[in-house]
Amino acid sequence: MKLDILVFGAHPDDAELGAGGTIAKEIAQGKKVGIVDLTRGELGTRGSAEIRSEEADASAKILGISVRENLGFADGFFTNDKEHQLEIIKMIRKFRPEIVLCNAVDDRHIDHGRGAKLVHDACFLSGLVKIETFLENDQKKQLVWRPKNVYHYIQWKNLEPDFVVDVTGFLNKKKEAILAYSSQFHDPKSSEPETPISSVNFLDSVEYRARDLGRLVGVDHAEGFTTEKQIAVKNLDDIF
């Protein structure tokens, strides 16, 4: 399956929190979008790997993504090495996306910045013909593929975006997808320990960040992204 956009997240719910509005908007415009979670989030204080897997499936249905996979890397302990890079390369070559979205380059959780660098490096390596990869149970060598662009969504830290996407009209869909992870976020009925993301304030911050980024560019809601290369537009009318 060829995808237009492939979104990587170190943990289930990273993609929704960082880029849920953008994902929903692109799908509404007819784009094919997939998500690859690097870990099962098994070290999370609340819930379990099994629960988070069920929640990820529910969230995927809400957003309407084409495919979701989990690479099963070790939560908290995966590294940016050849072994992990090759697994990312396999996903890139399998789905051949034009655009890759991935974790924030700098963030509170150590997996986020590490996941960002891992995916970014793998996107480059995926275009090298001398790196051979094969999907499991398939003896056919994968064709090389390098995405045109790699963008990093913003997570816990308020990083300065290089550009923003107008997601006006899609914030409610994003929030619905986030709330599918009921084990992770605020639930007054839950008896599990409190975490930084289980507070009411954190859930509210999803909206007030979107409103603030939107305010800066004159729209209702927006999501911010960073990039490690220059951004170009075909003409000045593309900027609003």
Side-chain angles (χ1 to χ4, degrees), residues 1-239:
M1 181 189 296
K2 167 109 174 52
L3 298 176
D4 298 296
I5 301 170
L6 185 57
V7 188
F8 288 90
H11 314 103
D13 75 24
D14 281 356
E16 291 88 344
L17 284 167
T22 300
I23 293 170
K25 182 175 184 177
E26 294 289 348
I27 291 172
Q29 293 177 343
K31 299 290 181 64
K32 290 184 177 180
V33 182
I35 295 176
V36 174
D37 301 308
L38 304 188
T39 79
R40 301 178 70 201
E42 63 269 19
L43 295 185
T45 302
R46 297 162 66 99
S48 65
E50 292 74 22
I51 290 172
R52 295 186 76 169
S53 178
E54 294 173 358
E55 292 170 342
D57 289 342
S59 180
K61 291 178 182 178
I62 291 168
L63 288 174
I65 65 169
S66 298
V67 63
R68 185 168 205 151
E69 296 201 13
N70 194 301
L71 293 178
F73 294 169
D75 190 10
F77 292 98
F78 70 83
T79 57
N80 184 10
D81 59 12
K82 181 179 180 180
E83 177 185 357
H84 291 84
Q85 289 164 358
L86 285 172
E87 293 305 310
I88 302 292
I89 291 169
K90 290 176 186 178
M91 292 294 101
I92 295 168
R93 291 177 174 179
K94 178 179 180 180
F95 296 115
R96 305 171 73 80
E98 303 299 321
I99 295 172
V100 162
L101 305 180
C102 57
N103 286 101
V105 294
D106 178 34
D107 211 41
R108 169 183 168 273
H109 198 299
I110 60 172
D111 280 352
H112 294 171
R114 187 163 50 200
K117 180 64 174 168
L118 168 60
V119 173
H120 181 271
D121 290 353
C123 284
F124 175 80
L125 293 171
S126 184
L128 301 181
V129 296
K130 290 186 177 179
I131 297 177
E132 296 186 352
T133 55
F134 301 82
L135 291 176
E136 187 176 358
N137 300 322
D138 188 348
Q139 298 303 310
K140 185 178 179 181
K141 184 172 70 174
Q142 289 185 297
L143 298 176
V144 300
W145 184 266
R146 183 177 292 150
K148 293 178 180 177
N149 292 294
V150 181
Y151 302 132
H152 301 272
Y153 45 81
I154 294 172
Q155 299 184 259
W156 181 271
K157 293 185 178 181
N158 288 322
L159 303 183
E160 184 75 21
D162 292 317
F163 67 93
V164 301
V165 175
D166 177 8
V167 295
T168 301
F170 295 93
L171 186 63
N172 285 340
K173 179 70 74 172
K174 170 177 178 166
K175 290 166 66 175
E176 185 181 356
I178 291 170
L179 290 173
Y181 295 91
S182 58
S183 70
Q184 300 303 302
F185 303 110
H186 180 68
D187 179 359
K189 299 178 182 177
S190 176
S191 59
E192 294 203 78
E194 288 295 318
T195 70
I197 66 171
S198 69
S199 68
V200 175
N201 187 30
F202 176 79
L203 210 51
D204 289 345
S205 75
V206 172
E207 181 162 352
Y208 61 67
R209 172 183 277 172
R211 286 190 177 279
D212 191 50
L213 288 174
R215 172 187 64 83
L216 294 174
V217 296
V219 300
D220 289 341
H221 302 111
E223 289 178 334
F225 297 85
T226 66
T227 178
E228 298 180 44
K229 71 176 185 178
Q230 292 291 331
I231 299 174
V233 294
K234 290 185 178 179
N235 55 63
L236 293 178
D237 290 337
D238 290 338
I239 303 172

